[in-house]
Amino acid sequence: VMNAPDPVRLPTSYMQRLRSAGIELGDGAEVQLSKSLLMLATGLVAATTMLWVAIYQLLGLKFSSTLPFAFQLLLVGNMLLYFQTRHFGFFRATQLGLFLLLPFVAQWVAGNVVASSGVILWSVLAPVGAILSGGGRRSLGWFVAWILLTAVSGFMDYHSAEAQLAAASLVPLRVSMVFFALNFIAIVSIIYALLSFAVEQKRRIQ
């Protein structure tokens, strides 16, 4: 069984500090792992969002950087609230809710999946984060919610595709294509990192 973190030895790297944030003495191995995974996911998403905002600003697309920046503020603000309250159940539910809803909001504001560069890919972190931090049963509702929201977005895009393609897009098509690739790379990399960390920690616990 994995012991509780040593309260005297401080983590040296940024990733170690991020993974151990919110862990308290007395937390069991499974609780420690759940907290570490959710903190790691939050940190990786926030860091990637900062990069996205910087790229948008360099391209002169100030409108496009507004939503990612707001997304980042909400994630970090919710994490700081958790540090104050230490209510992990509430933090997990609200953080997964942000992971799920905000990418869809970003797509709806942009107009469609092409204009938003497939930003709803980021919403898959909600069911993935739920199953890693809460187990299979707790993740089922998040997975169903993700399917429903994806279906609604697809339905909306299907019925408004021609009108939206005819109108001027907020983001140039070439920029959208570049960010399609970046979004795929980023989200798959984050999921891979979370799964790798979870498997390694599970192996150590066992």
Side-chain angles (χ1 to χ4, degrees):
V1 177
M2 186 170 64
N3 295 325
D6 187 349
V8 177
R9 180 182 301 172
L10 296 176
T12 55
S13 70
Y14 168 77
M15 295 302 292
Q16 288 175 327
R17 290 196 297 270
L18 182 63
R19 294 197 305 263
S20 62
I23 294 178
E24 303 178 40
L25 293 176
D27 285 343
E30 294 292 338
V31 174
Q32 288 189 40
L33 181 57
S34 295
K35 290 182 176 181
S36 294
L37 286 167
L38 197 52
M39 286 296 177
L40 183 59
T42 300
L44 291 174
V45 171
T48 307
T49 304
M50 289 177 62
L51 178 60
W52 265 223
V53 170
I55 295 174
Y56 275 129
Q57 291 291 341
L58 289 173
L59 294 174
L61 302 171
K62 294 184 179 180
F63 173 82
S64 298
S65 67
T66 302
L67 283 175
F69 185 64
F71 188 10
Q72 180 186 7
L73 289 179
L74 287 171
L75 288 176
V76 174
N78 194 41
M79 186 168 61
L80 294 176
L81 177 64
Y82 165 62
F83 291 155
Q84 292 293 323
T85 63
R86 295 293 176 174
H87 194 312
F88 180 65
F90 176 80
F91 170 67
R92 175 169 52 196
T94 51
Q95 205 75 334
L96 291 176
L98 291 174
F99 286 159
L100 177 66
L101 293 176
L102 291 179
F104 286 99
V105 172
Q107 175 175 311
W108 297 336
V109 171
N112 55 56
V113 68
V114 176
S116 66
S117 304
V119 71
I120 62 170
L121 286 168
W122 289 90
S123 64
V124 79
L125 281 176
V128 170
I131 198 169
L132 290 175
S133 65
R137 288 187 177 181
R138 289 184 177 179
S139 68
L140 181 59
W142 293 103
F143 182 59
V144 172
W146 178 80
I147 290 176
L148 292 176
L149 285 171
T150 302
V152 168
S153 291
F155 179 81
M156 293 168 59
D157 282 355
Y158 177 81
H159 285 280
S160 61
E162 292 184 1
Q164 290 175 351
L165 289 176
S169 177
L170 293 172
V171 180
L173 185 58
R174 289 183 177 179
V175 175
S176 294
M177 295 301 102
V178 170
F179 273 90
F180 253 114
L182 291 176
N183 283 330
F184 270 106
I185 292 170
I187 190 63
V188 172
S189 297
I190 290 174
I191 291 175
Y192 178 80
L194 293 175
L195 290 174
S196 297
F197 178 72
V199 169
E200 178 62 22
Q201 294 302 309
K202 287 281 189 181
R203 185 188 64 79
R204 292 183 180 182
I205 291 171
Q206 292 172 355

